[in-house]
Amino acid sequence: AQQLGTPLSDQEYRQFFRSLRAAHRASTACLLRALYGCQNPVVQRLDKYENHGVIPEGPICSELPGTPFFPDFCTFSFYRCTRKRYFIKV
């Protein structure tokens, strides 16, 4: 069992994004995020699943070279969506 609020392991990320692996599916999830924001229950459920049940509070460190810090998980997720770098982890 993983600690609440920790990011998924590499294997868990593969499972999590399996349904989003096609770019159109990932972009659809991003469209939901853009339309409804991070407070939407569906978006929050995805964010919680991605982080073992707890949406991390900021600041967020990422694997993105040159852009390692974000003020919160919502900002990080929007960044992934706008850059179409859907599978970058925190």
Side-chain angles (χ1 to χ4, degrees):
Q2 296 289 327
Q3 183 177 356
L4 291 177
T6 60
L8 301 177
S9 68
D10 289 341
Q11 180 180 359
E12 289 169 323
Y13 259 90
R14 283 191 292 279
Q15 177 68 26
F16 174 69
F17 286 117
R18 181 175 290 152
S19 65
L20 301 176
R21 206 37 89 180
H24 72 277
R25 289 182 182 160
S27 65
T28 299
C30 285
L31 180 60
L32 284 174
R33 184 178 295 281
L35 289 174
Y36 301 110
C38 294
Q39 300 307 313
N40 178 273
V42 173
V43 173
Q44 285 187 340
R45 195 171 352 186
L46 287 171
D47 290 350
K48 286 179 180 178
Y49 182 80
E50 184 177 352
N51 294 285
H52 292 105
V54 175
I55 300 170
E57 296 182 17
I60 302 296
C61 299
S62 78
E63 294 179 340
L64 289 167
T67 313
F69 298 103
F70 295 89
D72 53 39
F73 190 78
C74 184
T75 304
F76 168 70
S77 295
F78 273 116
Y79 181 88
R80 286 194 303 196
C81 287
T82 59
R83 301 291 181 168
K84 296 182 180 177
R85 309 251 342 246
Y86 305 119
F87 310 113
I88 298 294
K89 292 173 39 173
V90 292

